[in-house]
Amino acid sequence: RDVHLIDISMQGAMVKTSATLAPVGQMLTISMAIRIDEAATTLRLQASICHSNRATYEDAVFTGLAFKGLTQQDRLVLNYLTNPP
């Protein structure tokens, strides 16, 4: 399912969707298309749902994700994304 990325850090991400993704505590695999120095790659991460809340003033659900089991390569890409040069 496509989501709108609100925020990302080395520890996790916040996404916005039109419906609830899954129950709190469930593990998901998330994929992000990334372009680094003109090279395209796909980052695939395991994440657990930390919280999921329906927005008060819009038809959306905000879901907090905690990354789990990151590889060294995952950490390098996330570091680049969260601390651009």
Side-chain angles (χ1 to χ4, degrees):
R1 181 182 319 181
D2 288 336
V3 302
H4 180 80
L5 182 65
I6 301 297
D7 190 28
I8 190 166
S9 71
M10 294 293 293
Q11 291 75 35
M14 174 76 70
V15 296
K16 177 181 168 182
T17 57
S18 59
T20 302
L21 288 176
V24 171
Q26 184 166 333
M27 292 293 292
L28 303 173
T29 300
I30 60 172
S31 296
M32 291 181 267
I34 309 285
R35 182 171 293 281
I36 299 175
D37 296 334
E38 302 304 318
T41 188
T42 300
L43 188 60
R44 286 183 180 82
L45 305 172
Q46 295 295 310
S48 67
I49 296 182
C50 298
H51 60 83
S52 181
N53 300 296
R54 182 154 296 280
T56 304
Y57 299 107
E58 62 181 301
D59 190 23
V61 177
F62 291 91
T63 303
L65 304 168
F67 299 141
K68 304 289 183 185
L70 296 175
T71 65
Q72 182 179 16
Q73 182 67 26
D74 296 337
R75 286 187 188 94
L76 288 171
V77 173
L78 283 171
N79 186 56
Y80 182 86
L81 292 174
T82 57
N83 299 296

